[in-house]
Amino acid sequence: MRRFNLALLAALTLSSGLAATPAQAHGRHALGIENCAGTACHFDVPSGTYDVQLLLGGDAASSTSVSGETRRSLLPETAVAAGERAARSFTVNVRTPEGEPTGPDGTPGLDLALGGSAPALADIRVTPARHARQVFLVGDSTVCDQPGDPYSGWGQQLPQYLRKGVSVANYADSGESTVTYLSEPRLWATVQPLIRPGDLVLIQLAHNDKTTDEATYRANLETLVAGVRQKGGNPVLVTPIVRRWFNSDGTLNNNTALLVNGLGVDHPAVIRSVAATEGVPLIDLTAKTKALVESLGVEGSKAIYLYNEKKDNTHTSVHGATVYAGLVRDALVAQHLVPKGVARVG
């Protein structure tokens, strides 16, 4: 791979923002900084998986983050000293619809946006990813790429924790249960054919299984697991994030918080049981989020959810989704489901 031409980069860089000057060619299949203006970049590419390499920094001190498509966080805010450059990279999934599978198509191609307190991009190149591993997400509104502020699913924040070589394909969709996810053609029937050998498929469905009996819920989870394995993928069962519903003693030990439905079905318990029976890796996000929310307390936990904005104790803020995505990242690394070097720790 050719190195960046630093002399050219100096001419391209602004102290904040992004120069829209054509960059040197990086090969027949590379698209570069000529596709950017201000703090936005648009790359006219078909659906697929792409590696994005960036050189951050400018003449003044800078601090840059990158988001893309439907508000996905792709690169955490990165500070660079004045006159310095920092190389970063990630792999991104481009698809239609670009957000929720049952939502609008969105804009064709790949759209990236620079954020941060003082964004500065010296150069960028976008190339097709040749050997990327995919992490598919099957879930509901607490996981999905939420289209508008202040909402965010943890799957929307997960990409920023993964480096080049692993992309997140978030097929979570608002309002879905195990029943509807399996029956809606735009969901499981669309996702399963895309799974390749070695891909991870994280499954978190429970919040909307309010009227699903235990036998059906268990069977649906088993169907999803079998479907992933049929394609050579690796299923991972994820228990649901807790609802912020406190008892008077400051605990979350109640059916509302812990996702026990009106029929008495303890969703996290069933997921744990299926994981053990089927030999599937388990991310116990219920236990992890319960411990975190209880440690923050009644007031401190409000910022994790949308209580202050919407009196919503189920859906997470951008901050909360980012924290919860970090818990998922930690579990993926701890269970060796992704290589340690692929995960961003800071």
Side-chain angles (χ1 to χ4, degrees):
M1 186 173 293
R2 297 177 62 183
R3 295 182 179 179
F4 291 107
N5 185 317
L6 292 181
L8 177 61
L9 295 179
L12 290 172
T13 305
L14 299 177
S15 59
S16 73
L18 167 62
T21 307
Q24 70 183 84
H26 294 301
R28 185 174 59 182
H29 300 294
L31 297 172
I33 205 167
E34 67 274 11
N35 295 278
C36 303
T39 57
C41 300
H42 174 76
F43 300 92
D44 187 14
V45 296
S47 295
T49 306
Y50 294 88
D51 290 331
V52 180
Q53 294 176 275
L54 310 102
L55 204 62
L56 305 176
D59 295 336
S62 63
S63 187
T64 309
S65 62
V66 181
S67 61
E69 300 294 89
T70 302
R71 302 176 60 238
R72 294 182 223 160
S73 293
L74 300 171
L75 186 74
E77 190 159 355
T78 303
V80 182
E84 299 294 326
R85 302 290 185 271
R88 295 291 187 271
S89 61
F90 55 82
T91 300
V92 61
N93 172 255
V94 177
R95 63 182 182 272
T96 301
E98 68 178 30
E100 295 181 85
T102 63
D105 284 353
T107 305
L110 171 61
D111 287 286
L112 302 177
L114 301 183
S117 58
L121 180 64
D123 201 12
I124 186 170
R125 68 172 78 176
V126 174
T127 55
R130 300 301 183 190
H131 304 290
R133 186 181 185 188
Q134 297 230 78
V135 177
F136 288 92
L137 304 182
V138 169
D140 53 34
S141 59
T142 66
V143 184
C144 75
D145 288 349
Q146 290 281 0
D149 283 327
Y151 293 90
S152 181
W154 62 254
Q156 201 164 18
Q157 302 300 323
L158 185 61
Q160 66 184 298
Y161 288 120
L162 299 172
R163 302 180 192 273
K164 177 174 170 284
V166 178
S167 72
V168 175
N170 191 352
Y171 282 85
D173 197 72
S174 293
E176 306 301 341
S177 65
T178 58
V179 175
T180 61
Y181 204 95
L182 285 167
S183 63
E184 165 59 58
R186 291 171 291 180
L187 297 173
W188 184 239
T190 296
V191 176
Q192 191 195 18
L194 300 175
I195 300 170
R196 301 170 305 185
D199 286 340
L200 286 181
V201 183
L202 275 58
I203 301 165
Q204 185 216 280
L205 287 166
H207 281 86
N208 299 300
D209 279 281
K210 298 173 184 177
T211 60
T212 309
D213 64 82
E214 183 169 339
T216 301
Y217 185 65
R218 180 182 296 271
N220 289 343
L221 292 175
E222 291 170 347
T223 296
L224 290 165
V225 166
V228 174
R229 286 174 164 166
Q230 182 183 358
K231 303 296 291 185
N234 300 314
V236 179
L237 290 176
V238 183
T239 60
I241 66 170
V242 293
R243 291 191 175 98
R244 183 189 164 277
W245 199 270
F246 282 93
N247 297 327
S248 59
D249 63 359
T251 67
L252 299 177
N253 296 320
N254 60 77
N255 288 354
T256 299
L258 299 181
L259 283 298
V260 179
N261 75 9
L263 301 178
V265 180
D266 186 332
H267 293 107
V270 176
I271 295 169
R272 294 177 190 121
S273 174
V274 172
T277 301
E278 297 292 326
V280 175
L282 174 75
I283 297 177
D284 198 340
L285 205 52
T286 305
K288 293 177 184 295
T289 56
K290 177 179 184 291
L292 176 62
V293 171
E294 287 181 341
S295 72
L296 292 171
V298 173
E299 290 301 317
S301 62
K302 288 179 178 178
I304 295 289
Y305 291 84
L306 292 171
Y307 180 85
N308 293 325
E309 298 88 350
K310 302 285 186 178
K311 297 296 188 287
D312 186 333
N313 291 307
T314 297
H315 298 96
T316 48
S317 63
V318 171
H319 166 66
T322 302
V323 172
Y324 284 0
L327 296 178
V328 174
R329 180 271 319 272
D330 292 345
L332 291 173
V333 172
Q335 297 188 53
H336 307 290
L337 296 171
V338 298
K340 189 174 183 179
V342 168
R344 298 184 197 277
V345 178

